[in-house]
Amino acid sequence: MEPIIQLIVLTAVAGGAIPLGGVVASFEKIRPGWLEEEFRHTVIAFGGGALFSAVALVLIPHGTERIATWEAVLAFTAGGLCFWGLQALLNRSQSSASQLVAMLSDFIPEVMALGALISAGKGGALLLAGIITLQNLPEGFNAYRELRSTGMASRKILWWFMIAALLGPLLGFVGYLVLPDHEAALGWMQVFAAAGILYLVFEDIAPQATLKNSSFPPLGAVFGFLLGLFGKLLEG
């Protein structure tokens, strides 16, 4: 398959999983009631696992091989602090957009990395596209449910999800054309996003790690992960 065709197909499929997850979530009632509750919690848990896999298997390994140890530490710290500040702003405005932020924060750097991977002619593009697709399904589901809880109309949510899906091919082309010559920038972006995702998982998906009136405790998870990451990088 020609690289450009491969890029269009893989990024379109990966992005299309976002509105598909929203469509599944739009079926408001699953009978019986206990099954609906079990299904929601299972999807939320699966989404959390998918986000962790993005951090541990894609963003951190691919990002840290492109930048120095001190750069990885700085990028990870900056990502955690920036997403903590963003969450504090969302809390202050009483916005329920954490799932949407989490979804886009890993989708954007991953699909750009996918474009760079295809441009470089390296293997693994199909695997990375599959991981992105499997992440976006539960994340689209969870983001839809969260936005619906604010009273936003279903049609409006799905419309915005379609726009987010179109970012796939567009950002894939950016990665294809620009990032192969800027490895360090891609590394910084991936590590920065990894810290943000980790923070949002503990802030939103693992609520037992939070305090009711404080958005600060999940930042401890970011720095705990940073400690392990720093030790691992020193081994290399």
Side-chain angles (χ1 to χ4, degrees), residues 10 19 21 41-42 83 85 93 130 133 146 149 186-187 189 204 208 222:
L10 293 183
H41 283 275
T42 300
F83 276 77
S93 64
T133 302
E146 190 176 53
S149 70
L186 179 59
M189 182 176 63
D204 194 56
Q208 66 270 23
V222 174

Side-chain angles (χ1 to χ4, degrees), residues 7 66 109-122 125 128 171-183 186 190:
L7 175 68
R66 293 180 168 92
E110 283 180 348
V111 79
M112 292 178 72
L114 177 60
L117 194 65
I118 294 172
S119 177
K122 298 179 181 179
L128 178 57
L171 294 173
F173 272 112
V174 172
Y176 184 89
L177 297 173
V178 177
L179 290 180
D181 298 324
H182 297 82
E183 288 278 309
L186 179 59
Q190 289 177 309

Side-chain angles (χ1 to χ4, degrees), residues 162-175:
M162 288 297 296
I163 294 176
L166 292 176
L167 288 175
L170 292 176
L171 294 173
F173 272 112
V174 172

Side-chain angles (χ1 to χ4, degrees), residues 115-138:
L117 194 65
I118 294 172
S119 177
K122 298 179 181 179
L126 187 60
L127 175 61
L128 178 57
I131 292 174
I132 298 171
T133 302
L134 290 175
Q135 287 169 200
N136 282 343
L137 279 168

Side-chain angles (χ1 to χ4, degrees), residues 32-64:
W34 66 267
L35 180 59
E36 178 185 6
E37 195 70 15
E38 289 288 328
F39 182 70
R40 289 185 185 185
H41 283 275
T42 300
V43 173
I44 290 171
F46 184 83
L51 286 168
F52 269 119
S53 73
V55 171
L57 302 178
V58 180
L59 295 174
I60 289 295
H62 291 181
T64 54

Side-chain angles (χ1 to χ4, degrees), residues 63-75:
T64 54
E65 71 182 10
R66 293 180 168 92
I67 56 179
T69 297
W70 71 267
E71 291 178 295
V73 171
L74 186 58

